[in-house]
């Protein structure tokens, strides 16, 4: 019976080898080899520390952290409200949050580009009511807005998944012992929901750090993030070696995030699936 179960994992193993392990090996190979000779070299990593790339990496980290913080501040109260609703109400509201995720990521971002343009939908409505226009397109604020909109569900769902598992009797016991709302929130809810918070932060921070579509469309290609630099290295300059070295740097942040997830969410309580 155990052997049969192992065979069932065969398709996943093939998929993992073909689409995860082999591409990862290729990235490592190109990162440590010369573009001209193919010999082993570390010069590709020197490009990482150029002023332009460091600026792009720093801006990516800043916008990702801001977007993640905004998502957390918006997601936790919402997840808390959902966790205290009846099952039917919760199912409907959760469906509303999941529904946009079924739409293509590119189309969702293009929709915001149409809304935020100087002659877009929002400014047209404001002009109709003789109100001042909103000119945030092609700015970091538009990129943050796009990140928050696209990645907010990835923060809400893990936190909600943890909050609904918290026994209500624990909260009531804390209040019976004299804890007020602030003490109950800080000493009971936050520690118990920490796995969902860490999982949500990871699920928002990593895609926000590596994105290039949002900055291309909402930043007007004027604001370069590290994802845009990597895309240019692969598609425009055809320098796979430098692009792979930059990708290796992003892998460091991914590994750090995985470490915190494994540390604070060992049982997978904050998993969305």
């Amino acid at each position: 019976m155990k052997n049969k179960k192992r065979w069932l994992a065969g398709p996943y193993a093939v998929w993992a080898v073909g689409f995860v392990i082999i591409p990862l090996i290729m990235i490592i190979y190109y990162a440590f080899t010369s573009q001209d000779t193919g010999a082993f070299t570390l010069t590709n990593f020197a490009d990482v520390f150029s002023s332009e790339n460091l600026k792009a990496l720093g801006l990516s980290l800043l916008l990702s952290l801001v977007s993640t913080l905004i998502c957390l501040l918006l997601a936790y109260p919402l997840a808390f409200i959902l966790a205290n609703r009846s099952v039917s109400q919760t199912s409907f509201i959760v469906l509303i949050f999941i529904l946009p995720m079924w739409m293509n990521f590119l189309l969702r971002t293009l929709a915001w580009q149409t809304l935020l343009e100087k002659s877009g939908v929002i400014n047209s409505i404001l002009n109709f009511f003789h109100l001042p226009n909103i000119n945030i397109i092609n700015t970091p604020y538009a990129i943050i807005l796009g990140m928050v909109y696209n990645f907010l569900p990835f923060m809400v769902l893990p936190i909600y998944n943890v909050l609904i598992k918290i026994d209500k009797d624990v909260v009531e016991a804390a209040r019976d012992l004299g804890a007020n709302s602030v003490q109950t929130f800080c000493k009971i809810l936050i520690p118990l929901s920490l796995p969902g918070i860490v999982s949500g932060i990871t699920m928002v921070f990593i895609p926000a750090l590596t994105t290039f579509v949002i900055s291309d469309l909402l930043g007007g290609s004027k604001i370069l993030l590290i994802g845009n630099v990597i895309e240019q290295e692969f598609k425009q300059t055809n320098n796979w070696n430098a692009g792979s070295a930059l990708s290796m740097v992003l892998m460091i942040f991914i590994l750090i995030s995985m470490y915190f997830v494994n540390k604070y969410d060992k049982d997978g309580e904050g998993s969305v699936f």
Side-chain angles (χ1 to χ4, degrees):
M1 191 65 182
K2 290 182 178 180
N3 291 332
K4 291 182 179 180
K5 291 182 178 179
R6 289 177 181 175
W7 279 109
L8 291 174
Y12 172 75
V14 173
W15 183 90
V17 170
F19 295 98
V20 178
I21 297 177
I22 292 178
L24 183 59
I25 292 174
M26 292 178 62
I27 290 293
I28 296 173
Y29 169 77
Y30 281 112
F32 289 97
T33 54
S34 171
Q35 183 181 17
D36 299 325
T37 63
F40 174 82
T41 182
L42 294 176
T43 55
N44 296 319
F45 291 93
D47 295 335
V48 176
F49 299 99
S50 66
S51 59
E52 294 181 357
N53 290 341
L54 285 178
K55 180 181 178 181
L57 179 59
L59 184 58
S60 299
L61 288 171
L62 177 61
L63 297 185
S64 301
L65 288 171
V66 171
S67 302
T68 303
L69 179 60
I70 294 174
C71 284
L72 179 60
L73 294 176
L74 293 175
Y76 199 98
L78 178 59
F80 182 78
I81 293 172
L82 291 177
N84 289 279
R85 292 273 183 177
S86 62
V87 176
S88 59
Q89 291 175 322
T90 300
S91 300
F92 176 72
I93 299 174
V94 171
L95 177 63
I96 293 176
F97 273 90
I98 296 177
L99 198 59
M101 297 171 63
W102 295 348
M103 188 186 301
N104 184 272
F105 177 85
L106 180 60
L107 292 178
R108 297 201 306 267
T109 309
L110 280 171
W112 271 109
Q113 185 185 39
T114 304
L115 290 171
L116 296 175
E117 283 178 335
K118 293 181 179 180
S119 58
V121 176
I122 294 178
N123 282 330
S124 297
I125 295 174
L126 293 174
N127 287 333
F128 178 80
F129 289 103
H130 303 287
L131 296 173
N133 289 351
I134 297 177
N135 297 316
I136 67 170
I137 192 69
N138 301 336
T139 67
Y141 300 105
I143 297 175
I144 292 173
L145 177 61
M147 289 179 177
V148 171
Y149 170 76
N150 281 295
F151 304 135
L152 181 61
F154 296 107
M155 182 71 78
V156 174
L157 296 179
I159 297 176
Y160 165 75
N161 194 38
V162 171
L163 288 176
I164 59 174
K165 297 177 183 178
I166 297 177
D167 193 346
K168 299 296 186 295
D169 293 337
V170 176
V171 178
E172 293 178 1
R175 294 188 175 179
D176 289 341
L177 293 172
N180 56 34
S181 299
V182 176
Q183 291 173 327
T184 302
F185 178 77
C186 295
K187 296 185 178 181
I188 302 297
L189 292 178
I190 290 294
L192 292 179
S193 60
L194 190 60
I197 293 174
V198 174
S199 180
I201 289 175
T202 301
M203 294 178 67
V204 171
F205 178 75
I206 294 302
L209 178 64
T210 57
T211 186
F212 60 90
V213 174
I214 295 176
S215 51
D216 267 345
L217 297 178
L218 301 184
S221 300
K222 298 178 181 179
I223 302 173
L224 286 181
L225 303 184
I226 192 65
N228 301 108
V229 176
I230 294 174
E231 181 200 20
Q232 291 176 0
E233 293 289 358
F234 277 98
K235 296 177 64 177
Q236 296 182 15
T237 62
N238 200 30
N239 189 348
W240 287 32
N241 304 79
S244 298
L246 290 168
S247 300
M248 292 284 291
V249 174
L250 292 186
M251 287 182 191
I252 296 174
F253 292 98
I254 295 174
L255 292 174
I256 293 173
S257 300
M258 291 175 61
Y259 166 77
F260 282 107
V261 171
N262 291 330
K263 181 178 180 179
Y264 293 103
D265 191 15
K266 295 180 181 179
D267 299 325
E269 296 178 7
S271 175
V272 178
F273 305 102

